[in-house]
Structures are given as structure tokens and as C-alpha cells.
Amino acid sequence: MKFVDEATITVQAGKGGNGCLSFRREKFIPKGGPDGGDGGDGGSIFVEADESLNTLIDYRFTRRYDAQNGQGGASRNCTGAKGEDLVLKVPVGTTVVDVDTNEVLADLTHVGQREKIAQGGWHGLGNTRFKSSVNRTPRQTTKGSEGELRNLRLELKVLADVGLLGLPNAGKSTLIRSISAAKPKVADYPFTTLVPNLGVVRTEAHRSFVVADIPGIIEGAAEGAGLGIRFLKHLARNRVLLHLVDMAPWDETTPAEAAVTAVRELKKFSATLAQQPRWLVLNKLDMLPEDEQDAACQAVIDALEWEGPVYRVSALNKTGLTPLVHDLQEYLDRRAEAIAEEPELLEEERRTRALIDEEARENLRRLRAEMRARREAEDDLDDDDFDDDDYDVEVEYVR
């Protein structure tokens, strides 16, 4: 099964049924009067978050969805049947955006959440509605209105408390394997991770948090190098980012240069995201001689002008991970308690995430436009190829 985190679809809500023009005709009642019924409302279209789904691949193959039209009214004051609503099931973490207006119609963040994205048309009125003392035989009716037609973009962002940021081979997948039950692929070559991986970290019986590992970014990612910046959007919902730095890089890049590159690409993607809480994790220290470790770590801290939390770990040997996991749990618990005491903090968090999403969309639109322009100049690839995710892995929660 492919992992697809974005799809564009068209939805058409149902048309309302027309009102009926009819007069009562029965034996011995020659002037029974109007009896035309109203039409039925058109069906609306909803999206619903389903925990059994973790990809938008179905919406890559079926691009148009139509709700049922309402039936017309009938004689004897019979009202037409209402059109059946259409419910589109999507993964939790899906955002629905109107392509034409850039309006966010729905942001599905919990299981079972249902939001209307297209209003069905209203019913037409039968001629019975127009009778009065001065209009005994009305011949007026109204037609049902059209349902809403929308072009939508579905954007899936994995839901996690902690996000891992870093260049390829920084050890993100090894870290998530060491602190959770998730088992993403680990290898000694760049871009082993092709899609986001999620792991649930359990600190106690009833205390846990979710960590998201995304594909690494490289220098020039904002211009389309490597896997580009498209996966950075999965960090938009995290409450804290862990910036992993490989202290024993496989190429000639120094750890300080690698750390600066990751931050620079993050800022190009979203300046607001770059300002969110971020902790520095210096990984693979076991591969450095002890007498060189302090100087190497200080070089990274100086290059970043870092003043936040710093953790020295070896994800492979699982050294230094216990304090990191404990501090993350404490930080997230304090944040949850603060939001419970001051609900306005949650609204502020939502506004921040909305701003990050908008900045991300703008940069992704720019990147797509630039890549399409290059392809048109080369005339060797189709425009739609950029959006296809030709991978065969799904995001899975492993508990």
C-alpha cells in the first residue's frame, strides 16, 4: 500500500428537488385547491476521521464525489425524499482546504470528528405554499437550488507530540527504534526513510507520547533537492522538535555544518515552525574518542548559537536516552496541564499551527511551480509526476 499524504478531489453536493405544481381532483370535489408538495433537500458532503485509515491513496484514484439529489415534490402534498448525505472517511490528521479560496474547511484531529465540507441544495416549494385568500389557484413553484461544488485539497499530517528533525543518517530511525516499539528500516545509506514513521514511547503504565520520524532533508531541499521539503509539514503539529545531529557524519560535512544546514532549510520552509520549541540532540557520540567529544559538541553549539536544552546520546547503544525521554514526558505533561488551566493556550496553539500550515502551503506551491516550469522546459516528464508517492510503506502506530 502506498503512503499518500496529499490528494486533490472535487465534491458536488446534491441538488434540491423542485416543488410540484398540482391541484386536488377527486370525485364530488371539483375545486379541491392546490396540493403540490415541496421537493427534498439535496444531500450534503461530510468528512470523518477514521482511525483505521493512515493514507489518502483512495482519493488518488477516485477524484470526484457526488452526493444524492433531492427528489421533486408530488401531488397530494407529498414532499420529495431528501438526498442521502455522503461521508468521506479520511485518516486522523487530515486538513481539508478549498483550492479556489485557500480556506481551511476542516481540520480533523480526533477519531470520529465529522465536518461538513459541501452544503446540499435547498428544496423547492410546491404551489400549496403560495395559496392565500386572494390566490386560490396558485401556479407558482420554485426550483431546488444547486448543491455546493468545491475543489478540495486533502492534506495529511501525522499526529505526534515530538518530531525528529535532521539530515539523512542523523540516526532518527535508530532513535525511534530505541525508545519505542516502532521498527523502521535502518541502513547505512542516505534516504533510508522514505515516509514518516510513528512510535509510541511509554514511560509508565499510563504515560506515553508519540514520536514522528520524517525523511531527512539536505542542503537545497527548499529548491527540490533530495526528497525536498514536503515532509516537513508533518512537523507542524508537534509540540517539541528534536534536532538530531550526527556527530560522526559519513561524508566530509562537519557536524556543525550539518546542524546549520538543517536549521536553514527549516526556516526556508516555515519561519514560524523554526521558532517552535526545539531541543538539540547530539547523536553517535560513541563513535568519537572521549577526549574529542566535548570540543565537537561545543562546535555545534557555537555554530547554532544554541541556548536551549542539549542532550548527548548514542541511539544505537541506548546511552543518554533515559534523561531525554523523561524530560520529554515531563515537558508534555506540563504543557497539557497548562492548557487545561488556560484553554486560550490551546487556541493560540491552533493559530500558530494554522500559520505554519499556510507558510508551508505557500512554499510547496512555489516549489511545485518551479519544478513544473523546469519540466515544461525539458518536456520529458508529466506535471502530475511530482505529486505521486511511489512508495510501498504506510504510517503505522506501533505500541
Side-chain angles (χ1 to χ4, degrees), residues 4-288:
V4 176
D5 60 0
E6 191 167 304
T8 302
I9 62 174
T10 299
V11 297
Q12 172 72 70
K15 178 182 180 300
N18 297 330
C20 175
L21 174 61
S22 174
F23 293 93
R24 183 181 177 193
R25 290 291 184 267
E26 295 183 24
K27 191 176 182 180
F28 307 120
I29 308 179
K31 298 181 180 179
D35 68 347
D38 298 341
D41 291 332
S44 298
I45 300 181
F46 296 80
V47 288
E48 182 177 322
D50 189 336
E51 63 179 340
S52 66
L53 300 176
N54 46 30
T55 176
L56 296 171
I57 189 169
D58 292 339
Y59 298 99
R60 277 290 175 84
F61 299 107
T62 305
R63 299 292 185 114
R64 185 178 176 93
Y65 296 86
D66 297 280
Q68 190 176 35
N69 294 331
Q71 292 184 357
S75 58
R76 298 187 179 182
N77 291 316
C78 292
T79 300
K82 180 183 182 298
E84 186 175 351
D85 292 334
L86 178 62
V87 180
L88 305 179
K89 299 295 184 69
V90 296
V92 181
T94 299
T95 302
V96 183
V97 182
D98 190 305
V99 173
D100 301 315
T101 65
N102 280 331
E103 177 187 2
V104 176
L105 303 179
D107 190 13
L108 307 178
T109 57
H110 58 268
V111 175
Q113 182 180 352
R114 178 182 289 196
E115 302 289 346
K116 183 186 294 185
I117 56 174
Q119 173 65 51
W122 303 109
H123 61 270
L125 303 179
N127 65 332
T128 303
R129 294 276 194 170
F130 298 93
K131 67 180 180 181
S132 67
S133 59
V134 295
N135 188 6
R136 300 297 184 86
T137 56
R139 296 185 177 275
Q140 300 100 319
T141 62
T142 60
K143 294 182 178 181
S145 61
E146 295 288 339
E148 285 187 311
L149 173 66
R150 290 184 182 271
N151 297 310
L152 305 176
R153 183 171 59 253
L154 307 181
E155 301 174 351
L156 172 60
K157 291 181 283 291
V158 296
L159 298 180
D161 303 298
V162 180
L164 304 183
L165 171 72
L167 270 62
N169 278 35
K172 301 187 297 299
S173 296
T174 302
L175 176 64
I176 202 173
R177 288 172 67 99
S178 298
I179 63 177
S180 74
K183 300 299 178 186
K185 183 179 180 181
V186 174
D188 58 354
Y189 54 83
F191 301 113
T192 307
T193 302
L194 296 177
V195 296
N197 295 291
L198 296 176
V200 179
V201 181
R202 295 194 179 279
T203 54
E204 295 179 11
H206 301 290
R207 297 177 73 197
S208 64
F209 58 88
V210 180
V211 179
D213 166 29
I214 68 166
I217 57 174
I218 63 175
E219 186 171 6
E223 284 70 47
L227 294 180
I229 55 175
R230 54 178 303 239
F231 286 110
L232 283 175
K233 67 183 179 183
H234 293 282
L235 302 179
R237 300 180 188 274
N238 303 151
R239 284 185 169 160
V240 59
L241 302 181
L242 295 186
H243 181 183
L244 263 70
V245 179
D246 184 356
M247 300 304 295
W250 55 275
D251 58 9
E252 297 181 355
T253 304
T254 66
E257 291 172 344
V260 172
T261 296
V263 173
R264 183 168 57 245
E265 295 299 328
L266 180 65
K267 290 180 178 178
K268 289 181 181 179
F269 176 76
S270 170
T272 305
L273 179 59
Q275 296 172 359
Q276 299 312 297
R278 190 166 77 249
W279 296 3
L280 184 62
V281 179
L282 306 177
N283 191 24
K284 303 185 184 180
L285 282 175
D286 57 311
M287 299 180 68
L288 292 179

